[in-house]
Amino acid sequence: MQGQLAHQMALAPTGTVVIACAGAAVVAGALALYFGALLGIVRSDLTGGTKLVWLFFALMAPFLGSLFWFLIGRRDAQRRPGIA
């Protein structure tokens, strides 16, 4: 019984480290999504007003704005007049 308790206590810090690493990976992914969206918006061929709306939305709602940019905005930005 005591050996089992010692084994569980030895594994407790490992679980904490795994959770911390998973949390850091989620935060790094969210930051990459955010900065990638900002860079994509700034470098897009959108007009000034549309670009400003996307930037405002991405800055006010970082996760949703970035997600919507990659799901909706990029496709609209790639459509250029005169190119089929």
Side-chain angles (χ1 to χ4, degrees):
M1 183 76 166
Q2 193 173 14
Q4 185 181 11
L5 181 62
H7 180 69
Q8 288 176 351
M9 289 178 65
L11 289 179
T14 304
T16 305
V17 170
V18 169
I19 291 172
C21 288
V26 168
V27 168
L31 285 173
L33 178 74
Y34 177 65
F35 288 116
L38 289 179
L39 185 62
I41 294 168
V42 169
R43 295 180 68 190
S44 71
D45 290 334
L46 295 172
T47 61
T50 308
K51 191 181 288 192
L52 189 61
V53 169
W54 274 110
L55 279 172
F56 180 77
F57 188 55
L59 290 171
M60 291 298 116
F63 182 74
L64 282 177
S66 301
L67 191 62
F68 285 156
W69 165 252
F70 283 113
L71 294 176
I72 300 167
R74 257 177 76 189
R75 278 186 283 182
D76 292 340
Q78 290 174 350
R79 293 184 194 149
R80 295 182 190 153
I83 298 176

